Amino acid sequence: MIRLHFFKKWLIAPLLITTILVWAAIITMPDSNLHVSFLNVGQGDAILIQTPNHQNILIDGGPDPQKINLELSKKLPFWDRTIDLMISTQPQADHVTGLVEVLQRYKVQQVLEPGVPYNSLIYEEWLKLVEEKQIEHTIATAKQEADLGHGIRLEVLNPPPKPFQETSCDVDNNGVVIKLTWGKISFLFTADIRLEAEFELIEQRANLRSTVLKIAHHGSKTSTSSQFLATADPEVAVISVGSNNTFDHPSPEVVQRLEERLGKNKIYLTSENGTTEFITDGKQLWVNVEK
């Protein structure tokens, strides 16, 4: 791209572009910390985990293909087009729509999902792409574990070996609940589970205690019971939710319950804070907000 010396005025643009690319590479280079970003994708869920071993794990993709693309482009280096593990916590559109786009744009190594029966064109498209691309496809069940290196563990807590049936919403209650742990710091990702799944997890003495709790179902009153909060005993809560959504999420009851337990400053909403990133070395926890 470097031109002959007598075209000096044209050297500025290529050099500037090169400088920008170099600094972009430096800024987005993976470090030795664990990064967990609750992406601002509107009324839906999308969480990106980036490990010290340079693994990218995407939990859900939100309802908007453009938004998930934008958010991933902010977090991943431009040369990194690999998602090592894609987790669809459940097959509804606010979780899986963006995942279709990610499958088309990134190289996905493995997918994990609950495998619950669900009649949806977008879910069927996602399944078709997974099959066409010959991606390793695993059905989630409690007690599955993964070692992510450096002592970081990923553990599946839900759905149970015998899936929920005839609950208030089987699709929600059979959602994939994940716990991510490194040293003293842990994250609990609760998908859209409802009270029935919460109480079953408590009864089964699942390892729910966590530093950061992703509030289930965008803060709907169908979950986040006092009993579940007491068992999880989080220090920080995050609600993935869209601004001015038609569901009136999060529920005032849930927000009040969280404020009474944690205080207002320990609750993050993507609708207010934008993408919310937690960074940890397994001992300490830092948070960056977009807004």
mmCIF file of all heavy atoms in Angstrom, residues 151-180:
data_model
loop_
_atom_site.group_PDB
_atom_site.id
_atom_site.type_symbol
_atom_site.label_atom_id
_atom_site.label_comp_id
_atom_site.label_asym_id
_atom_site.label_seq_id
_atom_site.Cartn_x
_atom_site.Cartn_y
_atom_site.Cartn_z
ATOM 1 N N GLY A 151 -8.684 -23.040 35.536
ATOM 2 C CA GLY A 151 -9.573 -23.293 36.665
ATOM 3 C C GLY A 151 -10.989 -22.774 36.468
ATOM 4 O O GLY A 151 -11.803 -22.801 37.392
ATOM 5 N N ILE A 152 -11.312 -22.302 35.264
ATOM 6 C CA ILE A 152 -12.656 -21.783 34.968
ATOM 7 C C ILE A 152 -13.567 -22.955 34.582
ATOM 8 O O ILE A 152 -13.217 -23.760 33.723
ATOM 9 C CB ILE A 152 -12.616 -20.754 33.823
ATOM 10 C CG1 ILE A 152 -11.665 -19.614 34.189
ATOM 11 C CG2 ILE A 152 -14.011 -20.217 33.527
ATOM 12 C CD1 ILE A 152 -11.392 -18.658 33.039
ATOM 13 N N ARG A 153 -14.736 -23.029 35.226
ATOM 14 C CA ARG A 153 -15.655 -24.137 34.974
ATOM 15 C C ARG A 153 -17.009 -23.617 34.508
ATOM 16 O O ARG A 153 -17.522 -22.617 35.017
ATOM 17 C CB ARG A 153 -15.864 -24.986 36.234
ATOM 18 C CG ARG A 153 -14.655 -25.797 36.652
ATOM 19 C CD ARG A 153 -15.003 -26.858 37.684
ATOM 20 N NE ARG A 153 -15.835 -26.355 38.747
ATOM 21 C CZ ARG A 153 -17.094 -26.733 38.972
ATOM 22 N NH1 ARG A 153 -17.673 -27.600 38.184
ATOM 23 N NH2 ARG A 153 -17.771 -26.231 39.981
ATOM 24 N N LEU A 154 -17.580 -24.339 33.570
ATOM 25 C CA LEU A 154 -18.932 -24.071 33.088
ATOM 26 C C LEU A 154 -19.780 -25.285 33.444
ATOM 27 O O LEU A 154 -19.438 -26.411 33.089
ATOM 28 C CB LEU A 154 -18.910 -23.858 31.578
ATOM 29 C CG LEU A 154 -20.180 -23.300 30.926
ATOM 30 C CD1 LEU A 154 -20.355 -21.831 31.289
ATOM 31 C CD2 LEU A 154 -20.096 -23.444 29.413
ATOM 32 N N GLU A 155 -20.876 -25.058 34.140
ATOM 33 C CA GLU A 155 -21.709 -26.163 34.624
ATOM 34 C C GLU A 155 -23.168 -25.937 34.235
ATOM 35 O O GLU A 155 -23.703 -24.842 34.397
ATOM 36 C CB GLU A 155 -21.583 -26.253 36.147
ATOM 37 C CG GLU A 155 -22.385 -27.364 36.784
ATOM 38 C CD GLU A 155 -22.287 -27.358 38.305
ATOM 39 O OE1 GLU A 155 -21.603 -26.454 38.860
ATOM 40 O OE2 GLU A 155 -22.889 -28.241 38.936
ATOM 41 N N VAL A 156 -23.811 -26.981 33.711
ATOM 42 C CA VAL A 156 -25.231 -26.930 33.382
ATOM 43 C C VAL A 156 -26.041 -27.370 34.611
ATOM 44 O O VAL A 156 -25.812 -28.455 35.150
ATOM 45 C CB VAL A 156 -25.564 -27.841 32.179
ATOM 46 C CG1 VAL A 156 -27.064 -27.806 31.888
ATOM 47 C CG2 VAL A 156 -24.777 -27.418 30.945
ATOM 48 N N LEU A 157 -26.977 -26.534 35.046
ATOM 49 C CA LEU A 157 -27.812 -26.843 36.206
ATOM 50 C C LEU A 157 -29.238 -27.234 35.831
ATOM 51 O O LEU A 157 -29.943 -27.879 36.614
ATOM 52 C CB LEU A 157 -27.867 -25.630 37.147
ATOM 53 C CG LEU A 157 -26.523 -25.063 37.641
ATOM 54 C CD1 LEU A 157 -26.772 -23.914 38.610
ATOM 55 C CD2 LEU A 157 -25.671 -26.142 38.285
ATOM 56 N N ASN A 158 -29.667 -26.849 34.657
ATOM 57 C CA ASN A 158 -31.027 -27.092 34.187
ATOM 58 C C ASN A 158 -30.970 -27.119 32.656
ATOM 59 O O ASN A 158 -30.128 -26.429 32.064
ATOM 60 C CB ASN A 158 -31.953 -25.961 34.669
ATOM 61 C CG ASN A 158 -33.423 -26.273 34.539
ATOM 62 O OD1 ASN A 158 -33.967 -27.084 35.274
ATOM 63 N ND2 ASN A 158 -34.105 -25.619 33.619
ATOM 64 N N PRO A 159 -31.815 -27.928 31.977
ATOM 65 C CA PRO A 159 -32.977 -28.679 32.450
ATOM 66 C C PRO A 159 -32.601 -29.982 33.163
ATOM 67 O O PRO A 159 -31.488 -30.486 32.986
ATOM 68 C CB PRO A 159 -33.741 -28.978 31.151
ATOM 69 C CG PRO A 159 -32.692 -28.974 30.098
ATOM 70 C CD PRO A 159 -31.675 -27.963 30.518
ATOM 71 N N PRO A 160 -33.558 -30.527 33.933
ATOM 72 C CA PRO A 160 -33.292 -31.782 34.636
ATOM 73 C C PRO A 160 -33.273 -32.949 33.645
ATOM 74 O O PRO A 160 -33.745 -32.814 32.518
ATOM 75 C CB PRO A 160 -34.475 -31.886 35.604
ATOM 76 C CG PRO A 160 -35.573 -31.115 34.947
ATOM 77 C CD PRO A 160 -34.907 -29.998 34.204
ATOM 78 N N PRO A 161 -32.731 -34.100 34.065
ATOM 79 C CA PRO A 161 -32.713 -35.286 33.185
ATOM 80 C C PRO A 161 -34.095 -35.656 32.665
ATOM 81 O O PRO A 161 -34.237 -36.058 31.505
ATOM 82 C CB PRO A 161 -32.140 -36.379 34.089
ATOM 83 C CG PRO A 161 -31.311 -35.631 35.081
ATOM 84 C CD PRO A 161 -32.049 -34.342 35.332
ATOM 85 N N LYS A 162 -35.101 -35.502 33.507
ATOM 86 C CA LYS A 162 -36.484 -35.693 33.074
ATOM 87 C C LYS A 162 -37.102 -34.309 32.908
ATOM 88 O O LYS A 162 -37.402 -33.632 33.891
ATOM 89 C CB LYS A 162 -37.274 -36.506 34.095
ATOM 90 C CG LYS A 162 -38.698 -36.817 33.646
ATOM 91 C CD LYS A 162 -39.438 -37.650 34.678
ATOM 92 C CE LYS A 162 -40.871 -37.943 34.220
ATOM 93 N NZ LYS A 162 -41.619 -38.743 35.226
ATOM 94 N N PRO A 163 -37.283 -33.842 31.676
ATOM 95 C CA PRO A 163 -37.740 -32.463 31.444
ATOM 96 C C PRO A 163 -39.071 -32.156 32.131
ATOM 97 O O PRO A 163 -39.896 -33.042 32.365
ATOM 98 C CB PRO A 163 -37.887 -32.391 29.917
ATOM 99 C CG PRO A 163 -36.988 -33.459 29.403
ATOM 100 C CD PRO A 163 -37.047 -34.570 30.421
ATOM 101 N N PHE A 164 -39.254 -30.877 32.428
ATOM 102 C CA PHE A 164 -40.507 -30.424 33.022
ATOM 103 C C PHE A 164 -41.659 -30.646 32.046
ATOM 104 O O PHE A 164 -41.518 -30.439 30.833
ATOM 105 C CB PHE A 164 -40.428 -28.929 33.358
ATOM 106 C CG PHE A 164 -39.565 -28.613 34.534
ATOM 107 C CD1 PHE A 164 -38.245 -28.187 34.357
ATOM 108 C CD2 PHE A 164 -40.050 -28.725 35.833
ATOM 109 C CE1 PHE A 164 -37.441 -27.887 35.431
ATOM 110 C CE2 PHE A 164 -39.250 -28.421 36.921
ATOM 111 C CZ PHE A 164 -37.938 -28.007 36.728
ATOM 112 N N GLN A 165 -42.790 -31.042 32.591
ATOM 113 C CA GLN A 165 -44.008 -31.225 31.794
ATOM 114 C C GLN A 165 -45.192 -30.662 32.564
ATOM 115 O O GLN A 165 -45.259 -30.753 33.790
ATOM 116 C CB GLN A 165 -44.259 -32.707 31.480
ATOM 117 C CG GLN A 165 -43.233 -33.320 30.553
ATOM 118 C CD GLN A 165 -43.542 -34.766 30.220
ATOM 119 O OE1 GLN A 165 -44.277 -35.437 30.931
ATOM 120 N NE2 GLN A 165 -42.995 -35.259 29.111
ATOM 121 N N GLU A 166 -46.091 -30.034 31.801
ATOM 122 C CA GLU A 166 -47.347 -29.507 32.347
ATOM 123 C C GLU A 166 -47.117 -28.467 33.442
ATOM 124 O O GLU A 166 -47.823 -28.411 34.439
ATOM 125 C CB GLU A 166 -48.227 -30.647 32.873
ATOM 126 C CG GLU A 166 -48.622 -31.634 31.777
ATOM 127 C CD GLU A 166 -49.517 -32.758 32.289
ATOM 128 O OE1 GLU A 166 -49.814 -32.789 33.503
ATOM 129 O OE2 GLU A 166 -49.916 -33.588 31.468
ATOM 130 N N THR A 167 -46.107 -27.634 33.243
ATOM 131 C CA THR A 167 -45.899 -26.498 34.144
ATOM 132 C C THR A 167 -46.574 -25.273 33.521
ATOM 133 O O THR A 167 -47.207 -25.365 32.466
ATOM 134 C CB THR A 167 -44.400 -26.220 34.338
ATOM 135 O OG1 THR A 167 -43.831 -25.835 33.079
ATOM 136 C CG2 THR A 167 -43.684 -27.443 34.878
ATOM 137 N N SER A 168 -46.399 -24.122 34.136
ATOM 138 C CA SER A 168 -46.998 -22.898 33.588
ATOM 139 C C SER A 168 -46.441 -22.583 32.204
ATOM 140 O O SER A 168 -47.118 -21.970 31.383
ATOM 141 C CB SER A 168 -46.758 -21.723 34.539
ATOM 142 O OG SER A 168 -45.374 -21.514 34.732
ATOM 143 N N CYS A 169 -45.205 -22.987 31.935
ATOM 144 C CA CYS A 169 -44.605 -22.856 30.596
ATOM 145 C C CYS A 169 -43.404 -23.794 30.522
ATOM 146 O O CYS A 169 -42.327 -23.465 31.037
ATOM 147 C CB CYS A 169 -44.179 -21.412 30.327
ATOM 148 S SG CYS A 169 -43.460 -21.184 28.667
ATOM 149 N N ASP A 170 -43.587 -24.921 29.877
ATOM 150 C CA ASP A 170 -42.512 -25.920 29.805
ATOM 151 C C ASP A 170 -41.295 -25.404 29.044
ATOM 152 O O ASP A 170 -40.154 -25.740 29.378
ATOM 153 C CB ASP A 170 -43.028 -27.207 29.151
ATOM 154 C CG ASP A 170 -44.046 -27.938 30.008
ATOM 155 O OD1 ASP A 170 -44.126 -27.636 31.216
ATOM 156 O OD2 ASP A 170 -44.767 -28.799 29.471
ATOM 157 N N VAL A 171 -41.530 -24.598 28.000
ATOM 158 C CA VAL A 171 -40.406 -24.058 27.222
ATOM 159 C C VAL A 171 -39.507 -23.205 28.118
ATOM 160 O O VAL A 171 -38.274 -23.318 28.074
ATOM 161 C CB VAL A 171 -40.917 -23.231 26.023
ATOM 162 C CG1 VAL A 171 -39.767 -22.496 25.354
ATOM 163 C CG2 VAL A 171 -41.605 -24.139 25.017
ATOM 164 N N ASP A 172 -40.112 -22.374 28.947
ATOM 165 C CA ASP A 172 -39.327 -21.535 29.856
ATOM 166 C C ASP A 172 -38.635 -22.381 30.927
ATOM 167 O O ASP A 172 -37.437 -22.222 31.188
ATOM 168 C CB ASP A 172 -40.218 -20.498 30.535
ATOM 169 C CG ASP A 172 -40.605 -19.356 29.611
ATOM 170 O OD1 ASP A 172 -40.057 -19.283 28.496
ATOM 171 O OD2 ASP A 172 -41.469 -18.553 29.999
ATOM 172 N N ASN A 173 -39.378 -23.256 31.547
ATOM 173 C CA ASN A 173 -38.831 -24.018 32.681
ATOM 174 C C ASN A 173 -37.751 -25.010 32.281
ATOM 175 O O ASN A 173 -36.920 -25.383 33.107
ATOM 176 C CB ASN A 173 -39.960 -24.736 33.424
ATOM 177 C CG ASN A 173 -40.718 -23.803 34.342
ATOM 178 O OD1 ASN A 173 -40.138 -22.974 35.020
ATOM 179 N ND2 ASN A 173 -42.033 -23.911 34.345
ATOM 180 N N ASN A 174 -37.748 -25.423 31.013
ATOM 181 C CA ASN A 174 -36.700 -26.317 30.536
ATOM 182 C C ASN A 174 -35.526 -25.557 29.923
ATOM 183 O O ASN A 174 -34.676 -26.143 29.255
ATOM 184 C CB ASN A 174 -37.271 -27.317 29.526
ATOM 185 C CG ASN A 174 -38.078 -28.409 30.199
ATOM 186 O OD1 ASN A 174 -37.578 -29.105 31.077
ATOM 187 N ND2 ASN A 174 -39.331 -28.548 29.797
ATOM 188 N N GLY A 175 -35.484 -24.260 30.161
ATOM 189 C CA GLY A 175 -34.381 -23.452 29.650
ATOM 190 C C GLY A 175 -33.048 -23.868 30.255
ATOM 191 O O GLY A 175 -32.978 -24.405 31.364
ATOM 192 N N VAL A 176 -31.976 -23.596 29.515
ATOM 193 C CA VAL A 176 -30.627 -23.974 29.954
ATOM 194 C C VAL A 176 -30.113 -22.957 30.982
ATOM 195 O O VAL A 176 -29.925 -21.785 30.672
ATOM 196 C CB VAL A 176 -29.651 -24.048 28.764
ATOM 197 C CG1 VAL A 176 -28.268 -24.502 29.255
ATOM 198 C CG2 VAL A 176 -30.172 -25.009 27.704
ATOM 199 N N VAL A 177 -29.923 -23.435 32.209
ATOM 200 C CA VAL A 177 -29.342 -22.614 33.271
ATOM 201 C C VAL A 177 -27.872 -22.992 33.412
ATOM 202 O O VAL A 177 -27.528 -24.168 33.538
ATOM 203 C CB VAL A 177 -30.085 -22.816 34.607
ATOM 204 C CG1 VAL A 177 -29.389 -22.039 35.732
ATOM 205 C CG2 VAL A 177 -31.537 -22.365 34.471
ATOM 206 N N ILE A 178 -27.005 -21.989 33.353
ATOM 207 C CA ILE A 178 -25.562 -22.191 33.342
ATOM 208 C C ILE A 178 -24.923 -21.464 34.520
ATOM 209 O O ILE A 178 -25.287 -20.330 34.840
ATOM 210 C CB ILE A 178 -24.946 -21.634 32.038
ATOM 211 C CG1 ILE A 178 -25.466 -22.381 30.809
ATOM 212 C CG2 ILE A 178 -23.423 -21.658 32.095
ATOM 213 C CD1 ILE A 178 -24.887 -23.745 30.617
ATOM 214 N N LYS A 179 -23.946 -22.127 35.142
ATOM 215 C CA LYS A 179 -23.121 -21.436 36.140
ATOM 216 C C LYS A 179 -21.676 -21.418 35.659
ATOM 217 O O LYS A 179 -21.134 -22.441 35.234
ATOM 218 C CB LYS A 179 -23.206 -22.115 37.507
ATOM 219 C CG LYS A 179 -22.416 -21.347 38.571
ATOM 220 C CD LYS A 179 -22.682 -21.822 39.971
ATOM 221 C CE LYS A 179 -21.905 -20.965 40.979
ATOM 222 N NZ LYS A 179 -22.108 -21.400 42.372
ATOM 223 N N LEU A 180 -21.077 -20.245 35.708
ATOM 224 C CA LEU A 180 -19.695 -20.029 35.301
ATOM 225 C C LEU A 180 -18.908 -19.617 36.541
ATOM 226 O O LEU A 180 -19.277 -18.653 37.225
ATOM 227 C CB LEU A 180 -19.623 -18.935 34.239
ATOM 228 C CG LEU A 180 -18.249 -18.540 33.715
ATOM 229 C CD1 LEU A 180 -17.630 -19.670 32.900
ATOM 230 C CD2 LEU A 180 -18.351 -17.273 32.863
#
